Amino acid sequence: MKRKDFIKNTALAGIGLSVFPSSNIFASSADTPKIRMAIIGVGARGKGHLDLLLRRDDVDLVAICDVDDRVLKESKAMIEKSGKKMPKIYTGDDYAWQKLVQYEKPDGVLIVTPWEWHKPMIMGSLEAGLKYVATEVILGITLQDHWDVVKAAEKYNAHVMMLENVCYRRDVMAVLNMVRQGLFGELIHLQGGYQHDLRTVLFNDGVNTYDHGVEFGEKAFSEAKWRTEHSIHRNGDLYPTHGIGPIAEYIDINRGNRFLTLCSFASKARGLHKHVVDVAGENHPNAKVKFKAGDVITTSINCANGETILLQHDTNSPRPYSLGFRVQGTEGLWMDVNQSVYIQNKSKKNDEWDNEKEWFDKYDHPLWARWSKETKGAGHGGMDFFVIHAFVESIKRKTPTPLDVYDAAAWSAITPLSEQSIELGNQTIEFPDFTGGQWMYRKPVFALNDEY
């Protein structure tokens, strides 16, 4: 398939939404057989997705893969409790996943592994003939990784979806509904990011209680085995997609708009070293580690349609969780930090905030209005239900995924681009156009219906 045709077809994700009646959404029949799914990586995050797949009657879990016996044991216990058939287990070495994609040929695969494995696992899945691949964030490490995945998806006429769950957060989607109905007027400026104290994630030995871990690498547990290494060797926005994903949907990035330039700044790096010293003292071996990642990374982006974006990555300091969203237009704005909305001539009082709930109750997105019961018990306040649901439904209907490979590449590429900008003394960097100019012709498709 020619690249232009592939890009054009990915813009047709909304077509065919009425193929199946609503009563068949979670069922299977002769016309809508169960889809065969596999998961690579069933650690803490992977088990959340495993739970969601086990709830669905339209999915057969055919295989899982991990190198950790502990998480495999926990996953098998979950499967046994569900009453579902035990899938084939792939383990033994770091490349057992290759046998899974080659031998099982599932209809779809979820990649829920450390970041550095995402690109090779996506590429291996596509090369094995899989047409639907879903990956946790991030897409790749280098900018070339992102281009390689995009080119592979085009070459094999396959769909690569990033499981960016914040795009489906209830307040985020209510704001999307308000944006599309023109409540904020023309959008001018947007802010977001990842502002989350991760010190207990980056240092975790699986034994100590909250805020007492100082281990990472081989001695550590879960994400601390691998994630902390990125803060030692890299200086940039290491986790941009939670913030940029929703923002990109608000302003139709890759579908009538695109990112043009990027510029990033890094503060000094102090938080992780201070945590080790505070917990274990200056004589602990990890107190000698020099961390490269600045405690606060600030990135500004200019867009083709004139909007400006401010992103911040702040994970190494004591702070409450916040993604720092701000959506500002010619008629008003939303700020999630103070949970408030102000709309000119429509808010209760001039120059005073309304509580966001008053607006969100009225403008709840149709997806949440329809599926709120099904989100009960799903991770991250129900957001996780929607990303898995969208992926499964896309496979069943043989349609492009609502978040596609161009979205994944544009959002995730902020990491290597921010590293480059900081390394060059905060130089403004040109943002690549992964669509090859087709952003001018592609139309918005995300969350334009109440199906998925």
Side-chain angles (χ1 to χ4, degrees):
M1 175 176 281
K2 294 181 179 179
R3 183 170 194 258
K4 184 176 181 180
D5 292 335
F6 174 85
I7 297 174
K8 179 181 178 181
N9 288 345
T10 62
L12 302 179
I15 293 178
L17 294 178
S18 60
V19 172
F20 302 110
S22 300
S23 59
N24 288 343
I25 288 295
F26 296 103
S28 60
S29 67
D31 296 326
T32 59
K34 292 186 178 183
I35 62 169
R36 302 173 67 254
M37 292 285 289
I39 305 179
I40 303 174
V42 286
R45 185 74 179 122
K47 285 198 289 291
H49 293 321
L50 171 63
D51 174 64
L52 290 170
L53 292 179
L54 292 173
R55 296 185 191 190
R56 300 184 67 108
D57 292 332
D58 53 358
V59 169
D60 269 337
L61 185 66
V62 297
I64 62 173
C65 177
D66 208 294
V67 295
D68 189 321
D69 291 338
R70 171 178 170 177
V71 300
L72 284 173
K73 181 179 179 180
E74 293 170 350
S75 296
K76 287 191 282 187
M78 289 174 61
I79 297 165
E80 290 173 353
K81 186 177 180 180
S82 75
K84 298 290 182 71
K85 180 182 177 181
M86 186 62 63
K88 189 166 183 180
I89 310 298
Y90 286 83
T91 188
D93 62 69
D94 288 342
Y95 295 92
W97 63 271
Q98 294 178 332
K99 297 178 181 178
L100 184 156
V101 297
Q102 291 168 2
Y103 298 156
E104 299 299 329
K105 302 289 186 184
D107 298 316
V109 63
L110 305 182
I111 296 171
V112 198
T113 57
W115 299 336
E116 53 267 29
W117 282 101
H118 291 184
K119 183 244 181 159
M121 288 178 173
I122 294 169
M123 298 288 286
S125 298
L126 298 180
E127 291 164 359
L130 275 63
K131 294 300 183 183
Y132 286 89
V133 179
T135 179
E136 274 295 338
V137 299
I138 302 292
L139 193 65
I141 303 301
T142 68
L143 187 60
Q144 187 61 49
D145 287 343
H146 295 72
W147 278 113
D148 290 345
V149 171
V150 168
K151 296 295 186 182
E154 294 173 346
K155 175 182 177 180
Y156 294 106
N157 190 24
H159 306 285
V160 178
M161 176 178 173
M162 181 178 287
L163 297 170
E164 182 40 78
N165 58 358
V166 178
C167 288
Y168 291 97
R169 204 171 85 175
R170 194 162 196 167
D171 59 343
V172 165
M173 295 201 76
V175 171
L176 177 63
N177 195 17
M178 294 172 68
V179 166
R180 286 175 170 170
Q181 294 193 41
L183 270 296
F184 298 105
E186 182 180 358
L187 296 191
I188 303 296
H189 176 75
L190 304 99
Q191 294 179 194
Y194 192 56
Q195 301 173 136
H196 186 190
D197 183 356
L198 293 184
R199 292 173 298 170
T200 56
V201 172
L202 298 176
F203 299 106
N204 188 342
D205 60 12
V207 177
N208 287 307
T209 56
Y210 181 80
D211 207 28
H212 288 281
V214 295
E215 297 298 345
F216 65 91
E218 289 303 314
K219 295 181 179 180
F221 174 72
S222 191
E223 289 181 67
K225 281 183 173 293
W226 56 270
R227 188 166 180 166
T228 316
E229 295 289 339
H230 291 271
S231 294
I232 297 174
H233 302 291
R234 308 173 71 189
N235 190 16
D237 187 333
L238 299 178
Y239 207 66
T241 67
H242 282 348
I244 200 62
I247 288 173
E249 298 302 340
Y250 294 148
I251 55 175
D252 299 328
I253 294 300
N254 291 332
R255 300 179 184 274
N257 197 3
R258 81 174 188 92
F259 303 137
L260 289 180
T261 62
L262 172 150
C263 180
S264 295
F265 290 79
S267 76
K268 63 182 74 174
R270 296 293 185 269
L272 298 183
H273 171 77
K274 184 177 185 300
H275 176 80
V276 175
V277 172
D278 289 349
V279 172
E282 294 182 355
N283 294 325
H284 191 279
N286 288 341
K288 298 178 177 62
V289 175
K290 292 185 178 181
F291 295 95
K292 188 174 182 180
D295 288 354
V296 178
I297 306 295
T298 303
T299 297
S300 60
I301 300 174
N302 286 332
C303 302
N305 290 348
E307 304 91 349
T308 55
I309 299 171
L310 180 68
L311 295 179
Q312 288 195 306
H313 181 269
D314 176 2
T315 63
N316 302 336
S317 304
R319 59 162 302 123
Y321 174 87
S322 169
L323 298 187
F325 285 119
R326 174 174 174 172
V327 176
Q328 187 159 5
T330 55
E331 297 294 328
L333 73 163
W334 165 58
M335 295 184 67
D336 79 334
V337 173
N338 63 353
Q339 299 181 333
S340 298
V341 169
Y342 176 75
I343 305 295
Q344 181 176 247
N345 299 324
K346 293 183 180 179
S347 286
K348 287 182 295 186
K349 294 183 179 180
N350 187 38
D351 295 333
E352 290 188 17
W353 293 103
D354 293 333
N355 186 289
E356 64 181 13
K357 187 177 185 302
E358 302 170 27
W359 288 90
F360 294 171
D361 286 347
K362 182 178 180 180
Y363 290 96
D364 195 21
H365 194 280
L367 273 172
W368 271 95
R370 175 168 184 175
W371 298 109
S372 58
K373 290 183 180 179
E374 285 76 13
T375 66
K376 300 297 184 184
H380 296 92
M383 296 186 292
D384 292 351
F385 163 82
F386 288 103
V387 285
I388 295 301
H389 180 64
F391 186 61
V392 170
E393 288 301 313
S394 297
I395 300 172
K396 287 169 60 177
R397 302 164 190 261
K398 294 182 172 58
T399 59
T401 53
L403 304 176
D404 64 20
V405 69
Y406 304 110
D407 299 320
W411 304 350
S412 177
I414 290 170
T415 298
L417 290 171
S418 67
E419 291 180 274
Q420 182 182 357
S421 175
I422 291 167
E423 182 70 21
L424 294 174
N426 318 117
Q427 183 173 312
T428 297
I429 304 296
E430 182 177 351
F431 211 106
D433 173 18
F434 293 102
T435 75
Q438 293 301 306
W439 63 272
M440 292 181 285
Y441 311 108
R442 302 173 81 226
K443 303 298 182 183
V445 298
F446 176 74
L448 285 173
N449 62 87
D450 65 354
E451 296 284 349
Y452 68 98

